[in-house]
Amino acid sequence: MAIPRFTEKPQFRNPWMEFERIRRGLDKLTKEAFGDELHYSSHASVYPPLNIFETPNSLIVRAELPGIKADQLDISLETDTLTIKGKRQIQHQESKVSFHRREIECGNFNRSIGLPIKIDPDSISAKLVNGILTITLNKAEKTQPRRIVITAG
Amino acid sequence: MTDQDLKVANKQELLHKEETTSTDKYFVPTVDIFETENEVTVVAEMPGVDNDGVDISLDADILTIKGRMDIADEDKNWKILLHEYETGHYLRRFTVAETIDQENIAATLNDGLLKIILPKSMPAQPRKIEVRSE
């Protein structure tokens, strides 16, 4: 009489486990090849590329916009969507010129981005210094961390 | 000409031949270079660089443009939510073919655009030497 032992029972296998194992292996490979930086770097597909930071009280959106004047920029906020629109027009006054290199491009741009955090729409400030645009959006009151005081009773 | 949409141009990191001692990153600024009858103009994109951070030198025929990027308020403690571009200093070198009047090089910096005007030096007037017979 054969007595089935518990250990010989086929274990339940998650069919997706194998994919998960491959994904982890690939993640490890890319991490080794490119370092940790790849972790949060992403490439923009729409101009301008943005860097967004979070501080305890605000959200900071930053973009490099060399050669763009403040009046050529249009920033708007609609509920949770921030839109940066503008036009870059760099004119060289001289008429009779021969170009050796032409790498700086001119044109229109329009980028909208959904904000990950609720912000206070009345307290947005933007500044353009040396070609860097910084938009500071204060977080809405209720999303700011609130310290809870514990009273000993 | 300006009706087209701007495309994203990824910043090109400068590749050093030798290793640098600091870990600061250097990028190659994009430039426009054009020439008129009297001068050569170089326009370079250097967002984040102020007047004090610019260093231009012309040594023999090598023009070096250097910009020190400075965002004083950026804090290491800020949590990064999106990171689409890297920040760093700027460095680019050119060999200038024309003879430049080194004394009168002028540079201006506006909205992150550096404009350098290199006036061409006038070639010396050929002097006619008369040969007299004795």
Side-chain angles (χ1 to χ4, degrees), chain A residues 54 62 69 88 100 111, chain B residues 33 35 45 74 84 111:
Chain A
E54 187 189 349
R62 199 158 250 180
K69 303 231 177 296
R88 178 152 73 167
H100 293 206
R111 179 153 189 194
Chain B
I33 301 179
E35 188 183 343
E45 282 189 338
E74 207 154 292
E84 291 180 336
D111 311 309

Side-chain angles (χ1 to χ4, degrees), chain A residues 10 20 35 44 50 56 66 71 82-84 93 119 128-129 142-143 150:
Chain A
E20 183 62 20
L50 300 173
D71 58 9
L82 180 74
T83 306
I84 303 168
Q93 287 85 12
I119 59 117
L128 190 62
V129 182
K142 56 183 169 189
T143 57
I150 306 159

Side-chain angles (χ1 to χ4, degrees), chain B residues 10-27:
Chain B
N10 285 318
K11 279 177 141 184
Q12 197 188 340
E13 199 175 338
L14 186 83
L15 299 167
H16 292 277
K17 278 194 197 114
E18 57 284 310
E19 267 189 283
T20 50
T21 48
S22 67
T23 53
D24 288 357
K25 277 187 177 161
Y26 279 89
F27 291 94

Side-chain angles (χ1 to χ4, degrees), chain A residues 42 46 50-55 62 64 67 69 88 98 100-101 103-104 106-108 111 130, chain B residues 4 6 8 11 25 30-33 35 45 48 71 73-74 78-79 81-85 92 111:
Chain A
S42 51
V46 184
L50 300 173
N51 278 359
I52 302 181
F53 304 97
E54 187 189 349
T55 69
R62 199 158 250 180
E64 289 185 337
K69 303 231 177 296
R88 178 152 73 167
S98 63
H100 293 206
R101 281 168 198 260
E103 298 169 356
I104 300 172
C106 291
N108 301 314
R111 179 153 189 194
N130 290 326
Chain B
Q4 63 179 7
L6 275 173
V8 176
K11 279 177 141 184
K25 277 187 177 161
T30 49
V31 295
D32 272 0
I33 301 179
E35 188 183 343
E45 282 189 338
I71 309 182
D73 61 339
E74 207 154 292
W78 290 359
K79 194 174 142 198
L81 298 183
L82 188 69
H83 189 81
E84 291 180 336
Y85 68 86
R92 196 158 176 181
D111 311 309

